[in-house]
Amino acid sequence: MSKYESEISRRRTFAIISHPDAGKTTLTEKFLLYGGAIAQAGVVKGKKNSRAATSDWMEIEKQRGISVTSSVMQFQYEGFCINILDTPGHQDFSEDTYRTLMAADSAVMVIDAAKGVEAQTRKLFKVCAMRDIPIFTFINKMDREARDSFELLEELEKELGIETYPVNWPIGCGKDFKGVYDRDSRKIIHFTSNGGAKAATATEVELGDPNLDDLITPQLHQQLTDEIELLDGAAAEFDLDRVRHGKLSPVFFGSALTNFGVEPFLEHFLRMTTAPLPRTAGDTLIDSLDDNFSAFVFKIQANMNKAHRDRIAFMRIVSGKFEADKEVYHVQGGKKIRLSRPQQLMAAEREIIEEAYAGDIIGVFDPGIFSIGDTLCAPGKKFKFDPIPTFAPEHFRRVRSLDTMKRKQFLKGMEQIAQEGAIQIFKTPYSGMEEVIVGVVGTLQFDVLEYRLKNEYNVDLYMEGLPYEYLRWIETEDGEPVKEEDLILGDGVKLVEDYKGNQLLLFATQWAINWTDERNKQLTLLEFGGGWQR
């Protein structure tokens, strides 16, 4: 195997997804600790805690103790080169999360052992299912009182429509959480805390060990024996092929806070996941081992460094090797460019790099030429990766600058933040951009918009709530734009355009969508933008 092939085969790129407060950021930090990427984890608490998590870099994140934007981190572990996409768990930041999943080859879903499957987890899971990507489940917070483990598995299967395979099984919970039973080796991994250092102290013990009663108590020993018997009789068979097609989710139990079960999970996960996966570009499949460089933009983040007013485009490398100052072809821009100052990131910390391989995520300086979904490839090649879907916002407000003299800053700020994909902006056809309609997936994104316009552009906003809850992209039979007078629209429906000129309809109710669909047969209403069908 050549150095090039071996570099690609050792790479793993995955996203961590969860409902808020399930412990996702803590788990991410423990991975970084095991990989030696950081020396001390910042426990994610509220704003009173001075040590914010490594992966939370924006000021508003540190104040609120939540992840607002997706972070990208790379670390090495036992010969693997791992790219983690740490996504925002807060329900109000899910559009960024959805898109980040497009750059991952697999997903780790973190579930709170006391709460089980929550609303946001269902939405995120839908996106994973859409992409057919493997999902690994880590049931976290076993160091607290937890629900019955069988009940949790049943809920996972019922709510998400995916079969589960427990790779390990918890021994007790809360103060009595003693460790996990590994079903493959049929050994007990007993954990003892060592004061939050890099790893919990783990002792492997055979199931038939005579000292087991002393180690985990006779009651827990008996309970474990009964549960193993039940598991072996009732659980699904392990099938790696079904795991890799998102049909079977391997389940692990542990506690990210105390490090119990984190390393066994990481080791199993790396064995089960694949090297970077191929991507489709129309009818062509672009393989990761293809020598020719190719990548796509899945995220744009402006003003990561406020002093420099910079803008970073995050790219997932699909094939080939990237080298600094190498000339590439920007398909949507129709020209050759050199990617300046390529960086790899540890949240807000950056490191200039000379090379990167398929599976890696790199950030490049963007002078304003990139959009989400853009393809870059080797000169002489001209293909476009399949588009990244645009997800329909669920909350809408009319927004304008309080100071009419700051119109220029207002428009620039709105457009930049919209290009990042954090918000979507719309206008009424044939109207100017004095005021815009902003659509977001969740209401807290309005707070982020207001905060960023004030801090980065010195613009104060006036916002007015609108009664719409649904948005549909319009497609016509002849591909021509529609005129409002040619449409039959009832109350609670509004025709708007996005800043790329696409036409859309806003609806107050699901009933209004059905009513409009029935009376305008010349239209197709689409749930996803960007070329995705409903």
Side-chain angles (χ1 to χ4, degrees), residues 135-364:
I135 295 175
F136 295 80
T137 305
F138 185 78
I139 296 181
N140 192 26
K141 300 193 179 181
M142 289 304 297
D143 57 313
R144 301 181 186 179
E145 287 309 310
R147 284 170 52 188
D148 177 75
S149 301
F150 285 105
E151 214 180 277
L152 285 167
L153 292 184
E154 195 181 330
E155 184 177 72
L156 268 172
E157 295 194 352
K158 188 176 149 203
E159 290 280 351
L160 306 178
I162 185 171
E163 281 194 276
T164 59
Y165 178 86
V167 176
N168 62 28
W169 196 252
I171 302 164
C173 69
K175 288 177 188 165
D176 294 329
F177 182 43
K178 305 291 185 189
V180 292
Y181 165 71
D182 187 289
R183 294 182 67 204
D184 184 34
S185 67
R186 301 193 72 80
K187 284 183 179 172
I188 282 161
I189 305 169
H190 176 260
F191 297 112
T192 46
S193 179
N194 57 7
K198 180 175 157 184
T201 305
T203 313
E204 283 198 9
V205 182
E206 296 286 345
L207 192 55
D209 192 295
N211 298 318
L212 207 50
D213 277 0
D214 295 334
L215 201 61
I216 65 169
T217 76
Q219 294 87 341
L220 286 176
H221 186 183
Q222 185 56 52
Q223 185 184 332
L224 179 66
T225 307
D226 295 344
E227 288 179 344
I228 289 169
E229 199 178 321
L230 195 56
L231 263 183
D232 291 348
E237 290 293 311
F238 183 73
D239 181 337
L240 191 56
D241 191 54
R242 293 186 71 221
V243 169
R244 288 180 177 173
H245 285 91
K247 303 289 182 268
L248 180 71
S249 179
V251 179
F252 302 80
F253 292 83
S255 160
L257 193 65
T258 61
N259 293 320
F260 289 11
V262 175
E263 199 162 25
F265 166 65
L266 185 57
E267 285 170 358
H268 275 290
F269 171 78
L270 293 171
R271 279 202 299 273
M272 289 181 195
T273 47
T274 59
L277 296 171
R279 298 290 165 130
T280 50
D283 297 330
T284 312
L285 199 63
I286 309 297
D287 191 87
S288 59
L289 290 171
D290 188 320
D291 287 348
N292 292 302
F293 170 80
S294 68
F296 64 88
V297 177
F298 69 93
K299 175 182 168 66
I300 292 168
Q301 184 71 55
N303 300 331
M304 283 184 80
N305 184 337
K306 195 178 164 188
H308 295 147
R309 286 272 177 206
D310 62 351
R311 187 174 137 118
I312 302 290
F314 289 86
M315 296 177 186
R316 155 71 196 244
I317 302 176
V318 176
S319 65
K321 179 183 177 183
F322 171 82
E323 290 166 309
D325 277 334
K326 192 175 183 178
E327 196 172 61
V328 298
Y329 183 70
H330 178 210
V331 177
Q332 281 76 2
K335 60 181 180 183
K336 292 177 187 175
I337 55 171
R338 286 188 195 280
L339 298 177
S340 65
R341 300 207 305 274
Q343 306 163 12
Q344 273 174 340
L345 291 99
M346 170 67 74
E349 300 299 315
R350 314 178 193 188
E351 186 184 323
I352 304 293
I353 53 157
E354 294 302 318
E355 59 179 38
Y357 294 85
D360 286 342
I361 308 291
I362 59 169
V364 300

Side-chain angles (χ1 to χ4, degrees), residues 93 126 193 202 246 310 338 384 391 416 451 509 528 533:
F93 300 99
K126 268 188 188 172
S193 179
D310 62 351
R338 286 188 195 280
K384 282 185 190 175
F391 297 89
Q416 275 216 336
Y451 176 89
T509 62
F528 297 109
Q533 301 307 302

Side-chain angles (χ1 to χ4, degrees), residues 88 90-99 120 123-124 391 394 441-442 445:
H90 198 287
Q91 62 197 48
D92 294 310
F93 300 99
S94 42
E95 166 113 16
D96 194 28
T97 309
Y98 293 154
R99 270 196 309 274
Q120 197 56 25
K123 281 189 186 177
L124 295 171
F391 297 89
E394 295 163 27
V441 173
Q445 196 65 55

Side-chain angles (χ1 to χ4, degrees), residues 12-14 103-107 131 133-134 274-277 279 316 359:
R12 299 289 182 273
T13 305
F14 66 93
D105 292 323
S106 57
R131 288 246 356 259
I133 66 173
T274 59
L277 296 171
R279 298 290 165 130
R316 155 71 196 244

